[in-house]
Amino acid sequence: MSVTLAPVLGFILSNTPPPEFNPDTVTPGPWGFFAILFVAVVTLLLGMDLARRIRRTTYRAEMRERLQAEVAERDAAAAEQKKSDTP
């Protein structure tokens, strides 16, 4: 274990200055900006589509329940009518 940590500890404990870098080579530039913008817009559009689909599914389930309740009510009324018509 000490063999693998030796270079890391040597770097941390040494008094070497941090390496200098060119900020132009480190920044993402305009292509990076447009790539992140594209990902953000696509994510936003997918989220909106997901919300629309979930809302539509919920409305369909509510309408299905209402129709089933109406059919059950109609069948119950017909059964009650039939029961009252028979002597």
Side-chain angles (χ1 to χ4, degrees), residues 37-48:
L37 180 66
F38 175 75
V39 170
V41 168
V42 168
T43 302
L44 179 68
L45 292 175
L46 283 173
M48 290 170 51

Side-chain angles (χ1 to χ4, degrees), residues 47-84:
M48 290 170 51
D49 183 54
L50 175 66
R52 183 177 53 90
R53 289 174 186 264
I54 290 173
R55 190 178 323 115
R56 185 186 312 156
T57 303
T58 304
Y59 290 153
R60 285 181 181 171
E62 288 176 3
M63 291 305 297
R64 190 177 304 121
E65 289 174 4
R66 286 182 187 175
L67 289 173
Q68 288 175 350
E70 288 177 8
V71 168
E73 184 180 322
R74 186 186 66 209
D75 290 345
E80 186 67 32
Q81 182 69 23
K82 191 175 190 182
K83 194 188 253 186
S84 66

